[in-house]
Amino acid sequence: MSDVRHVLVLPDRDAAEEVVQALGDRFGVVEEPRLVRDALAGEDDAEDAQWLVVLRDEEERLDPGELDRFAGEWEGWREEP
């Protein structure tokens, strides 16, 4: 079993929370992804933060390109490893 993870980068918390909810419907993801705030170094302002949605894909069944297009619907992207 591999330890494949996908990281989706979203512009704000609302978008990240919507993505977490939509992942189950669109991709059948059952394990809830982790939601992580990623502030730029030295920045505390919420305007300068990005939100990361981290999901495990141990069976490698999720298509990276499709995840990138999916995140793009919320002005985000899939981070390349």
Side-chain angles (χ1 to χ4, degrees):
M1 187 180 302
S2 69
D3 187 31
V4 173
R5 294 173 196 251
H6 300 283
V7 177
L8 306 181
V9 181
L10 287 303
D12 57 52
R13 184 182 185 121
D14 290 339
E17 288 175 344
E18 289 177 24
V19 163
V20 167
Q21 294 297 319
L23 279 166
D25 294 337
R26 178 82 65 88
F27 296 99
V29 173
V30 267
E31 181 180 332
E32 185 159 333
R34 287 184 47 218
L35 190 60
V36 179
R37 181 178 182 267
D38 182 35
L40 299 173
E43 297 291 336
D44 290 329
D45 188 355
E47 294 293 320
D48 294 325
Q50 295 175 325
W51 287 82
L52 309 179
V53 174
V54 181
L55 60 146
R56 292 172 48 177
D57 185 20
E58 294 171 348
E59 296 174 6
E60 297 184 50
R61 64 178 193 80
L62 300 172
D63 177 77
E66 187 62 31
L67 285 171
D68 190 42
R69 287 186 288 280
F70 173 73
E73 294 175 22
W74 284 271
E75 299 181 18
W77 64 89
R78 179 185 164 273
E79 188 72 24
E80 288 295 326

